Amino acid sequence: MSGAAGRRTRRLRGWGGVGAMAGACALALTAALVLVPCEPAMDAPAGTAAVADGPGAPDVARARPASDETCAHPEASLRPSSAAGPAVRRIQKRGYLVVGVDQDSYLWGYRDPNTNQLVGFDIDLVKAIARDILGPDPRIVYRTVPTDQRIPAVRSHEVDMVVRTMSVTCDRIRQVAFSTAYFEAGQQLLVPRTGTTVTGFDDSLRGKRVCTASGSTGEALLRAEPHGARIVLVANQIDCLVRLQLGQVDAVLTDNALAAGQAAQDPAVHLIGQPLTHEPYGVAMNLGDTDLIRRVNAVLDAYRAGGAHSPWTRSYDKWLAHDLPGISGPPAPLYED
């Protein structure tokens, strides 16, 4: 990152940047953006189908594996198509796209204090999807969604999709559908640069307070292998950074892509060890919206195309290259049909 954009984002480092993004559910309106306060979404009632009957049923059956034995590649998605089926037409008739996002994940989806606009790598992708479905200057409703409300928001159709550094896992694809992967990350520990005895994801965590977001893959990993740690759960990962700065926790476990943004905000913390998991990020959508899944995959095909001049690479260079270097390009798409 360089130039005016680099100077603008560098001002967010440290306490000022965290404070600027800590208001997680504000309300704002611009010509093309509506940010709606986050509201807990109710999941589908017990015993009810999460997928509506209709033309998408055959695709849905493939999108929901019966067991882990059939889930070797959860990131496999439906093949791309630009056809406008029921879900795409629903959005076009409404006249705007409703997307679940984060507004306090630095570099990914955050509010720029200089412009009061949502910006970041995830937001660039949202805009590309919206332009494809709705045309130039599309209207987008950004709904801020806590980590553990992402799946309920998609399943209840509170949002059309979630674009929020969401890892594709075998458990999640039973509840929501995903696009092909647009980024790859892994769980890693974030700790203070000085004064810590934590050396990695090992027994040095015994008795330590380790923070992660509720409903995240970090929580699942910690519960499976706690190493004697005391697990501290928060609604959003930025809350973990604040607690780490205040000395209320000893370490943070999160995606290394998110942690790179947190370390960029506060040079007093850094990543240690190696990534513990392989986690592709995907756009989450309702299992029944198969035409929308295919449409988003068509957008992603175009977004990746062009090598060093692709929209994906331009967005990576703008937002992530400085603090998450060494990534040569997007993950290759994998299809299940």
Side-chain angles (χ1 to χ4, degrees):
M1 190 182 303
S2 62
R7 290 191 296 273
R8 202 162 47 240
T9 53
R10 290 299 174 270
R11 295 192 193 108
L12 298 176
R13 292 179 184 270
W15 281 100
V18 175
M21 292 183 291
C25 296
L27 184 65
L29 175 66
T30 69
L33 175 150
V34 179
L35 182 61
V36 180
C38 51
E39 299 171 358
M42 298 303 294
D43 210 340
T48 62
V51 182
D53 294 332
D59 285 341
V60 171
R62 287 194 296 271
R64 181 163 42 188
S67 68
D68 284 341
E69 285 72 24
T70 62
C71 188
H73 297 286
E75 70 272 28
S77 185
L78 300 176
R79 289 197 174 274
S81 171
S82 296
V88 172
R89 289 197 300 269
R90 180 187 72 227
I91 294 166
Q92 291 173 336
K93 181 178 180 180
R94 184 204 300 143
Y96 57 89
L97 183 69
V98 184
V99 187
V101 296
D102 200 352
Q103 71 159 5
D104 54 18
S105 288
Y106 182 49
L107 306 179
W108 291 89
Y110 73 99
R111 185 180 291 284
D112 185 338
N114 298 302
T115 64
N116 204 35
Q117 299 294 305
L118 282 180
V119 295
F121 189 81
D122 277 346
I123 305 304
D124 283 355
L125 177 56
V126 169
K127 292 176 179 177
I129 294 169
R131 284 193 298 268
D132 180 81
I133 295 174
L134 297 168
D137 300 318
R139 188 177 178 215
I140 305 169
V141 172
Y142 293 99
R143 187 176 293 277
T144 56
V145 182
T147 301
D148 62 358
Q149 290 299 314
R150 293 177 298 187
I151 288 175
V154 170
R155 292 183 65 182
S156 66
H157 272 126
E158 180 185 354
V159 297
D160 297 311
M161 61 189 64
V162 165
V163 186
R164 192 187 179 282
T165 58
M166 190 169 179
S167 303
V168 184
T169 69
C170 291
D171 178 64
R172 287 174 178 169
I173 64 172
R174 293 178 175 86
Q175 305 172 74
V176 297
F178 284 93
S179 69
T180 53
Y182 66 87
F183 200 84
E184 290 182 343
Q187 294 294 308
Q188 201 165 345
L189 282 169
L190 187 75
V191 300
R193 287 188 179 275
T194 59
T196 182
T197 58
V198 176
T199 57
F201 194 70
D202 51 33
D203 286 346
S204 67
L205 293 175
R206 185 169 302 279
K208 299 296 192 295
R209 300 157 299 178
V210 182
C211 187
T212 195
S214 176
S216 68
T217 47
E219 180 190 2
L221 182 58
L222 275 171
R223 295 209 182 278
E225 301 179 66
H227 291 292
R230 295 161 54 192
I231 302 172
V232 178
L233 297 178
V234 296
N236 293 293
Q237 285 291 357
I238 192 66
D239 301 328
C240 283
L241 177 59
V242 174
R243 287 175 182 255
L244 188 65
Q245 291 171 320
L246 294 174
Q248 296 175 352
V249 298
D250 303 294
V252 173
L253 184 64
T254 186
D255 299 1
N256 56 0
L258 287 175
Q262 294 180 1
Q265 289 175 257
D266 186 354
V269 301
H270 69 144
L271 287 161
I272 62 169
Q274 296 299 315
L276 303 164
T277 57
H278 164 75
E279 298 186 19
Y281 289 166
V283 177
M285 290 160 280
N286 192 283
L287 283 166
D289 289 347
T290 53
D291 66 299
L292 182 60
I293 300 163
R294 294 184 186 279
R295 183 70 170 252
V296 170
N297 283 339
V299 174
L300 282 169
D301 272 1
Y303 202 68
R304 299 182 189 100
H309 303 290
S310 70
W312 188 96
T313 301
R314 293 198 301 270
S315 186
Y316 168 77
D317 288 344
K318 180 178 182 179
W319 300 111
L320 304 178
H322 182 276
D323 298 295
L324 201 64
I327 298 174
S328 59
L334 184 63
Y335 299 112
E336 63 184 51
D337 62 334

